[in-house]
Amino acid sequence: MLTTELKSIHEEMIEMRRHLHMNPELSFQEVKTPAYIVAFLKQHGIEVREKVGGRGVVGTIKGDQPGKTVALRADFDALAMDDEKDVPYQSKVKGVNHACGHDGHTATLLGVAKVLSQHTHLIKGEVRLIFQFAEEVPPGGAIDMIADDCLLGVDAIFGTHLSSRLPVGAFNYTIGPMMASADKFTIELFGRGGHGAAPHQTVDPIVLSAQLITMMQTVISRRINPISQGVLTFGSVHAGSAFNVIPDKAMLIGTVRTFDKEVQQLITEEMEKIIKGLCDAAGATYTFEYTKGYPALVNHEQATKLLIKSLEKIVPKEKIIEMDPMMGGEDFAYYLEQVPGTFFNTGARNDEKGITYPHHHPKFDIDEDSLLYAAQALVTVALDYLNQ
């Protein structure tokens, strides 16, 4: 497990995490972060490919013995929000914040890279280090990095997410579907505006919006098999600007989440039927734009069972917890569509320290002990895979 070696660089991982936290970069705008990663990898004699898929970095550590290739992935983009934590490592960039733990993911994998590069005699084959840009914003960085051969020759892939839902020292795993596809839809309704005192002379897109939102609730409850899972949520409704004017149009934006491509297709078709039917009845017209985001993240059984055995070398069995699938999205799903592997959560919550805020919150933080646990997990599962 190289536990002693990882513990010896724990403070260095913390320093790297804090440097990244203070210097965050938005998705598709990462410049300094990949340069920082490249410099660190080259410093430790690791073979590096830059600008993979655009802004990604791929490092390669070749073992002293031949064998398979295992990939480990970390993302490094931040979110568009202020950092409201009162900490010495608060973000220096206004309106940009590592509020999801990607700084910790990157620092962890850099620590893993350093230790493994010093112990190539333990590696049978090759360890591929994938540092990915733009996980937060579709279409994401994974799909472009894959197109640029970051998975070429890879036999399996593993990745972890630091989780504020889980106490530090614990791990979550899931066999099969873990995270949902994350789609976006935009509906524009075009009516005929007029005076609020004469609604009979208008085609009111606000009333039509209300009917549409209500009818859409039946897509999940009445059109989808109850055994299947799906979410249809409206997150934004905009129409009009005056109290006494019926506007010409309304815009509705939302998301659909599923685990099954057939369910995804059915939801899309049923949504359009409802929109068209209501608009035809009201004398309105519409546009309907449906954008598929990340696919569902489905963990492979064999890789996940290997992960569980690896985690048992790090923490007691009761700290390794099977979790229910969740409706959040994650573009690690693209890697799992190409090669076997698994994605898991590493606990980063600490109630005693007040580290309890959820992901994407301006006060989100992690217990930095989680970096060591995550590094131990990635090193252990990588070596276990190669030494099977």
Side-chain angles (χ1 to χ4, degrees), residues 50-353:
E50 302 179 49
K51 299 180 180 179
V52 181
R55 299 176 186 270
V57 178
V58 174
T60 299
I61 302 174
K62 295 180 179 178
D64 294 350
Q65 305 172 65
K68 293 185 176 182
T69 298
V70 63
L72 305 174
R73 175 270 207 169
D75 40 17
F76 55 74
D77 56 326
L79 289 156
M81 61 170 58
D82 286 324
D83 187 354
E84 297 180 3
K85 296 187 300 299
D86 183 15
V87 293
Y89 48 88
Q90 186 181 48
S91 172
K92 295 179 180 179
V93 185
K94 184 174 177 57
V96 186
N97 180 15
H98 270 295
C100 200
H102 296 187
D103 52 341
H105 302 166
T106 300
T108 294
L109 193 55
L110 288 174
V112 168
K114 179 176 180 176
V115 168
L116 287 178
S117 69
Q118 297 170 348
H119 294 83
T120 56
H121 62 285
L122 298 177
I123 300 174
K124 292 181 179 180
E126 184 177 302
V127 178
R128 186 82 49 84
L129 308 163
I130 298 175
F131 293 89
Q132 183 203 308
F133 65 101
E135 187 279 328
E136 294 288 1
V137 178
I143 196 165
D144 287 333
M145 291 191 71
I146 292 169
D148 200 5
D149 291 336
C150 75
L151 291 179
L152 185 65
V154 169
D155 297 292
I157 186 167
F158 298 89
T160 190
H161 202 299
L162 301 176
S163 174
S164 65
R165 302 179 185 88
L166 190 66
V168 65
F171 294 94
N172 274 156
Y173 71 90
T174 303
I175 296 175
M178 178 181 180
M179 303 180 79
S181 57
D183 302 342
K184 175 185 177 182
F185 64 83
T186 302
I187 303 166
E188 286 189 288
L189 304 174
F190 301 96
R192 184 173 66 250
H195 200 292
H200 60 291
Q201 298 174 352
T202 72
V203 175
D204 190 339
I206 293 179
V207 171
L208 186 58
S209 296
Q211 294 173 324
L212 181 63
I213 292 169
T214 300
M215 282 292 294
M216 285 292 186
Q217 307 313 304
T218 65
V219 173
I220 302 298
S221 67
R222 290 296 178 269
R223 300 302 300 154
I224 303 302
N225 187 326
I227 303 301
S228 302
Q229 295 169 301
V231 169
L232 195 166
T233 295
F234 287 89
S236 175
V237 181
H238 288 279
S241 58
F243 81 99
N244 61 347
V245 176
I246 293 172
D248 285 313
K249 68 177 183 178
M251 177 179 287
L252 301 87
I253 303 173
T255 186
V256 171
R257 307 292 173 109
T258 66
F259 293 105
D260 186 289
K261 289 183 179 180
E262 292 184 3
V263 172
Q264 180 189 51
Q265 182 63 33
L266 178 60
I267 290 174
T268 310
E269 293 171 355
E270 293 298 318
M271 289 178 70
E272 179 119 36
K273 286 180 185 177
I274 291 171
I275 299 166
K276 184 178 186 304
L278 287 173
C279 284
D280 286 349
T285 58
Y286 71 93
T287 62
F288 176 44
E289 181 180 348
Y290 191 98
T291 304
K292 291 183 179 180
Y294 306 150
L297 189 157
V298 183
N299 286 325
H300 295 249
E301 182 176 2
Q302 187 173 350
T304 308
K305 288 181 176 179
L306 173 66
L307 169 72
I308 295 168
K309 291 180 180 179
S310 299
L311 295 178
E312 288 174 353
K313 299 177 181 179
I314 302 168
V315 296
K317 288 184 178 181
E318 60 267 22
K319 296 288 187 179
I320 306 166
I321 306 161
E322 185 172 10
M323 64 174 282
D324 292 329
M326 58 186 295
M327 288 296 180
E330 164 62 67
D331 76 346
F332 193 87
Y334 286 118
Y335 300 112
L336 294 177
E337 287 187 331
Q338 302 297 318
V339 297
T342 195
F343 192 68
F344 61 100
N345 288 328
T346 300
R349 180 186 182 95
N350 192 319
D351 292 352
E352 293 180 2
K353 295 180 181 179

